[in-house]
Amino acid sequence: MPRLAALSRLASLILVLFLALNLPALAQQEQEAPDLAAWDKLAEQAEQIVASGSANDVRLQAIREEVVKWRERLKAGQGINATRIATLKDQIAALGTPPAEGQTEPEEIAARRKELNEQLATLQAPGLQAVEAYGRADGIVAQIDQTLRARQTFALIRKTPTPLNPANWGPAMAEAGHVAGQIYAEARARWDGTGGMSGFTQRLPLIGGFLLVALILLSRGRHWIDSLPSRLSARASERSRAALIFGVSLGQIAIPLIGVILFAAALASTDLLDDWGLPLLRSVPAAGLSFFGGIWLGRQLFPAADTAVQPPLPMDEERRAKARFRVTLLASALALHQLFARSILPLSGFNSQNDSGTVPQRLSEASAGVWHFLLILFGAFCLFRLCNLLRGLRPAEAADTPDYRVRVVSFLAMTGRLAALVAPVLVAVGYVTAGNALLWALVLTLALVGLLVILQDFIADLYALAKGGDQSARDALMPVLIGFALILLSLPLFALIWGARASDLAEAWTKAQQGFSFGGVRLSPMAMLTFLIVFAVGYFLTNFVQGAFRSSILPKTKLDSGGQNAVASMIGYVGLALAAVFAVTSAGIDLTSLAFVAGALSVGIGFGMQQVVSNFVSGIILLVERPIAVGDWIEVGGQQGVVKKMAVRATQIQTFDRTQVIVPNSNLITQPVTNWTRGSLSGRIIVPVTVSHGSDSRKVAELLREIAEDQPTVLINPAPAVLLRSITADGLNFELRAVLSDINGGSGVSSEINHQILERFAAAGIVLPGSTRPSRDIFLHGETERPAPAPKPAPAAAADPRKTTPQEAEAHDSGEFGPSGMQDDDGGRA
């Protein structure tokens, strides 16, 4: 019942997923045609504005957003009347192939064909117009993006007055004082305009509440959060300590940042700031995030010894302490840049030409260069000092730090040292925007790489926690794959850091959704994601059904273990094939367009994959015909052993010395295969015996037959046989042949027969030629020894070498008896 309930829930989940993936097709309705007249008017205006070059970046971005909205409508308009068009095409196809030139068809059919074609052209007209308009919209968007990129490039390479000119220092101080004076004058004027103290008193509860909470969070709250990881590390279990400490440490960013935001909200609630003060106030949260986030990164990347945090980079405590201090200084420099850049200072880096959200009158370029030069000197000094520590990283021999991590950090450290030297030089010679873009983008890149390092360790800790606290699970494949996916997801952030706009990323995603054509098939990220999801669900469902058959259904049938394994394997192959078909269908991939690819693959299969396909087909034949099964004792290609696993490409055999032999399935089909245990476990053993001349041959044969009949596993039908095979100078050579009910015990039976031969022949006075001493014959019935010619060693009693049983291999490995033969001249199997 639990398995049926789980299967029912899984089927419901698959149904919901199928409906979600096919919702656009199921819910497709006849859409209204977009207003093409309104679009043409907007398109003409947009093209004129873009061509004039008079619009600023803000205006161009607004026009772009409006055109993008129209583009989406036009894209949807391409599917107008799609259902009716498909119906008409089917109706036209039902009339048959149009007559060739010079031929005619019945008038009724011709009239009907003409009528349907006219209706089809009428219905297709709005969609074709939407396709044309979509292309125009796409061209306008591309033209705007090209204009914005050109402006950004020009801003980066444009040279401004050098900050090293002393003539610019005085105006820089004066203009900064002017901005501060304007903020004060604005606050003073609004103080008087809102009723002075009386108006302030009315807002005092709100302002006081914000300030009180902000002070508590910035003072006591932050101290409590800083000490919490140390307290939790002593109380938490070993398996959950790392993940718990990381989760709590996020409060080192959140708590003080909330305090800073509340402090800014308190200032904003005074209603004293407007055009001059609010732009600076809006920069406070970003500056606070840069400062407190940098401190948190420093503590996580270079933890102190008493924090119970595992260092992600191989550094000693002294170097980590220096690195934490330098990260704090670098975070302070970045926070100052975030506070004043763009709101007051132009030339602040990428996209600095955007003048939205700034004070009414920013500093001049000459004055801004002076202040930027001071900030860049401070930031470059901190970056250079930090990179000096990081560039000497070497993987520790006893640590488990990934080598690639150390190499990436070392490379970024060397790049950071170079940028710390180049950026001030660029600003000094007048390329202020380029210097800002280089330095602060590299600082943010280092911060993002550090964050990825920390998150990868956190994911590994969570996976180890999920595995029951097994720390060896941190090096498993799943955390590595998740970390790799995290790196891929962070690529847009790196692009934003290095100058890309959000609209650029949105446009790239739009282009990616359109996909690319491969062999007449258009593939897109959503189509591939749909394929992967549906195939993964099908794969999981196939494994679930296989498990249900193996554990619940097949054991109740009359099939042996080999047949059950064959049925389960066939279910797996069919399930995977169906999952692939459903995945391709759900992704909207038309396989008919891959005809030439299939042809090319057939040629490749014919030349390069012939053996692979042969093994696959052979594996299917083995599963259907079942000449061998798991557990059979077989011999093929000079190798013999027990079949352990049958896969689609090869079969795994375990020999009796415990080695694994992988046999391609084609060998099991094309080569002779001896299956000792298929259908019956019975088999024949042959025990050779040599007695001295003068022995009673009839008595010897009778004793050998009695000894064989005394063995419990020797079959009565056919009865054991004793043959006098030859008479040689060494003696009389007999063979005892007996069929056992289970040949797997042949070695033990042969050994017992040899023991009884020694005992009963000695009692009967039958002499065996000596084999342990080549120069003597040993008489078992007396104590006299006589010299004799050196005879050939008598053949030891054993089994057919082609039928080395598992028990014989066990005995050989343990030294009970050596390898022996069980072979005769006409085969060893009864």
Side-chain angles (χ1 to χ4, degrees):
M1 292 301 291
R3 185 177 294 275
L4 293 177
L7 184 60
S8 176
R9 289 194 297 269
L10 182 61
S12 302
L13 177 61
I14 295 173
L15 178 61
V16 171
L17 179 62
F18 177 79
L19 293 176
L21 293 174
N22 294 274
L23 187 59
L26 296 176
Q28 183 179 9
Q29 299 177 355
E30 300 300 334
Q31 302 173 351
E32 296 183 0
D35 188 354
L36 296 180
W39 158 247
D40 290 336
K41 182 179 179 180
L42 175 65
E44 291 177 1
Q45 294 176 352
E47 289 171 346
Q48 291 176 1
I49 293 173
V50 174
S52 65
S54 58
N56 59 13
D57 290 357
V58 178
R59 180 73 185 282
L60 286 178
Q61 197 67 34
I63 295 174
R64 186 188 185 281
E65 292 176 359
E66 188 65 24
V67 174
V68 168
K69 294 178 181 178
W70 270 102
R71 188 175 63 175
E72 294 300 323
R73 297 177 199 168
L74 295 171
K75 182 179 180 181
Q78 296 176 10
I80 293 176
N81 304 324
T83 305
R84 181 58 181 152
I85 289 173
T87 304
L88 283 174
K89 288 182 177 179
D90 292 339
Q91 289 179 286
I92 295 173
L95 296 178
T97 305
E101 186 177 358
Q103 297 180 354
T104 60
E105 61 181 349
E107 294 183 359
E108 296 81 0
I109 297 178
R112 182 58 176 167
R113 188 187 302 277
K114 180 180 180 181
E115 179 185 356
L116 292 177
N117 283 325
E118 291 176 352
Q119 294 180 14
L120 179 62
T122 302
L123 292 175
Q124 287 179 334
L128 295 176
Q129 293 175 351
V131 171
E132 180 184 359
Y134 178 87
R136 186 180 183 183
D138 200 46
I140 294 175
V141 171
Q143 189 176 1
I144 293 176
D145 289 340
Q146 184 179 1
T147 301
L148 292 175
R149 283 193 294 268
R151 291 183 178 182
Q152 185 183 55
T153 303
F154 176 75
L156 287 174
I157 64 176
R158 187 168 65 91
K159 188 175 181 181
T160 56
T162 172
L164 298 182
N165 188 357
N168 298 326
W169 299 350
M173 297 293 294
E175 291 183 21
H178 173 72
V179 173
Q182 289 294 331
I183 295 175
Y184 174 77
E186 178 184 72
R188 183 69 182 178
R190 293 184 66 85
W191 173 272
D192 296 335
T194 55
M197 182 59 69
S198 61
F200 179 77
T201 305
Q202 295 177 358
R203 296 186 297 272
L204 184 60
L206 179 61
I207 299 172
F210 281 149
L211 287 177
L212 179 61
V213 177
L215 290 175
I216 293 175
L217 293 178
L218 289 173
S219 58
R220 303 303 306 169
R222 186 170 180 272
H223 174 72
W224 183 77
I225 288 294
D226 289 345
S227 61
L228 186 58
S230 299
R231 296 200 300 267
L232 288 177
S233 62
R235 300 180 181 180
S237 62
E238 185 68 27
R239 56 185 293 185
S240 62
R241 181 177 301 166
L244 183 61
I245 290 176
F246 175 83
V248 173
S249 70
L250 293 177
Q252 297 173 357
I253 303 176
I255 296 300
L257 183 59
I258 293 174
V260 170
I261 294 175
L262 290 177
F263 182 78
L267 293 180
S269 62
T270 60
D271 203 19
L272 298 178
L273 303 176
D274 197 8
D275 293 340
W276 286 92
L278 286 181
L280 191 63
L281 196 61
R282 295 191 190 102
S283 302
V284 169
L289 179 61
S290 299
F291 179 70
F292 294 113
I295 294 177
W296 177 81
L297 278 175
R299 293 182 177 182
Q300 295 297 314
L301 290 172
F302 315 107
D306 57 348
T307 57
V309 178
Q310 184 68 26
L313 296 174
M315 296 177 67
D316 55 66
E317 173 58 28
E318 181 181 359
R319 292 168 63 86
R320 291 203 302 269
K322 292 180 180 179
R324 285 195 302 273
F325 177 71
R326 295 174 186 179
V327 168
T328 303
L329 291 180
L330 187 58
S332 303
L334 180 61
L336 290 174
H337 173 76
Q338 294 282 357
L339 184 62
F340 298 111
R342 291 184 56 185
S343 61
I344 297 178
L345 301 175
L347 312 176
S348 57
F350 294 112
N351 302 318
S352 59
Q353 67 275 12
N354 187 354
D355 55 2
S356 61
T358 64
V359 297
Q361 183 179 354
R362 293 189 291 181
L363 272 62
S364 64
E365 292 183 348
S367 300
V370 174
W371 291 106
H372 277 307
F373 186 62
L374 296 177
L375 289 175
I376 284 181
L377 281 179
F378 178 42
F381 173 77
C382 298
L383 179 62
F384 188 85
R385 296 282 290 169
L386 176 61
C387 291
N388 268 342
L389 287 174
L390 297 180
R391 72 186 182 97
L393 285 181
R394 295 293 183 272
E397 297 181 357
D400 55 355
T401 304
D403 181 62
Y404 75 89
R405 178 182 298 179
V406 175
R407 286 188 276 112
V408 168
V409 173
S410 298
F411 172 76
L412 289 176
M414 291 187 294
T415 307
R417 279 165 49 91
L418 181 62
L421 296 175
V422 172
V425 175
L426 289 175
V427 177
V429 298
Y431 296 101
V432 180
T433 304
N436 274 300
L438 175 63
L439 180 68
W440 303 118
L442 190 56
V443 171
L444 291 176
T445 299
L446 283 172
L448 184 54
V449 171
L451 179 61
L452 291 175
V453 169
I454 295 171
L455 290 179
Q456 285 179 342
D457 285 348
F458 174 63
I459 291 171
D461 290 333
L462 282 182
Y463 188 78
L465 178 61
K467 286 293 186 179
D470 184 8
Q471 292 302 312
S472 61
R474 298 180 83 255
D475 299 327
L477 178 61
M478 185 58 65
V480 175
L481 293 179
I482 297 176
F484 180 72
L486 197 64
I487 293 175
L488 293 180
L489 293 176
S490 67
L491 293 180
L493 296 179
F494 284 107
L496 290 174
I497 288 174
W498 288 96
R501 301 184 307 276
S503 59
D504 294 333
L505 299 181
E507 187 67 17
W509 176 247
T510 301
K511 297 298 183 182
Q513 284 182 311
Q514 297 177 0
F516 60 94
S517 181
F518 175 75
V521 177
R522 181 159 293 275
L523 300 177
S524 64
M526 290 305 300
M528 290 186 286
L529 181 61
T530 302
F531 176 86
L532 293 177
I533 292 176
V534 175
F535 185 79
V537 172
Y539 180 78
F540 173 77
L541 183 60
T542 299
N543 287 340
F544 182 84
V545 173
Q546 273 187 308
F549 268 78
R550 281 196 179 100
S551 61
S552 301
I553 299 176
L554 293 177
K556 298 179 181 179
T557 64
K558 297 181 179 180
L559 293 175
D560 57 12
S561 59
Q564 295 178 16
N565 181 72
V567 172
S569 299
M570 292 301 298
I571 291 175
Y573 298 145
V574 173
L576 289 180
L578 292 177
V581 171
F582 280 123
V584 170
T585 305
S586 301
I589 300 175
D590 185 10
L591 295 181
T592 59
S593 302
L594 295 177
F596 81 98
V597 178
L601 287 178
S602 63
V603 175
I605 290 173
F607 288 98
M609 300 180 64
Q610 182 178 2
Q611 291 299 324
V612 176
V613 175
S614 175
N615 289 328
F616 178 82
V617 175
S618 300
I620 300 298
I621 295 175
L622 291 174
L623 291 176
V624 174
E625 295 185 354
R626 296 179 56 212
I628 62 174
V630 175
D632 285 355
W633 169 17
I634 69 171
E635 179 183 355
V636 58
Q639 298 285 345
Q640 64 172 308
V642 178
V643 178
K644 290 297 181 181
K645 181 180 180 181
M646 298 182 65
V648 69
R649 189 195 65 84
T651 297
Q652 179 178 325
I653 300 175
Q654 179 177 301
T655 64
F656 300 124
D657 56 1
R658 297 302 184 266
T659 58
Q660 303 296 327
V661 179
I662 307 300
V663 180
N665 287 333
S666 59
N667 291 356
L668 299 175
I669 296 296
T670 60
Q671 296 183 8
V673 178
T674 303
N675 195 330
W676 301 109
T677 58
R678 188 62 174 171
S680 174
L681 295 178
S682 62
R684 184 178 65 176
I685 61 172
I686 299 176
V687 182
V689 180
T690 300
V691 298
S692 299
H693 291 286
S695 300
D696 187 350
S697 61
R698 302 292 181 182
K699 182 65 173 179
V700 170
E702 181 181 357
L703 287 176
L704 290 176
R705 188 177 296 106
E706 291 177 358
I707 292 173
E709 291 175 350
D710 290 342
Q711 306 303 313
T713 59
V714 173
L715 297 179
I716 300 177
N717 186 19
V722 179
L723 303 177
L724 177 59
R725 296 302 301 270
S726 63
I727 302 174
T728 64
D730 296 330
L732 308 179
N733 299 321
F734 289 84
E735 280 187 358
L736 170 61
R737 299 184 178 185
V739 179
L740 306 182
S741 60
D742 187 355
I743 192 59
N744 289 314
S747 298
V749 175
S750 299
S751 175
E752 179 62 26
I753 289 176
N754 285 329
H755 283 297
Q756 293 193 21
I757 287 175
L758 293 176
E759 295 173 359
R760 301 186 65 171
F761 277 26
I766 299 175
V767 180
L768 298 178
S771 59
T772 58
R773 297 181 182 179
S775 60
R776 298 178 181 271
D777 285 338
I778 301 176
F779 295 87
L780 299 179
H781 62 284
E783 300 180 355
T784 307
E785 296 183 356
R786 61 180 178 82
K792 297 181 181 179
D800 193 333
R802 295 172 299 175
K803 297 175 62 175
T804 306
T805 65
Q807 289 81 358
E808 183 179 357
E810 294 283 355
H812 177 267
D813 292 341
S814 61
E816 294 180 5
F817 51 86
S820 56
M822 294 172 56
Q823 182 177 356
D824 61 351
D825 54 359
D826 58 352
R829 181 78 187 237

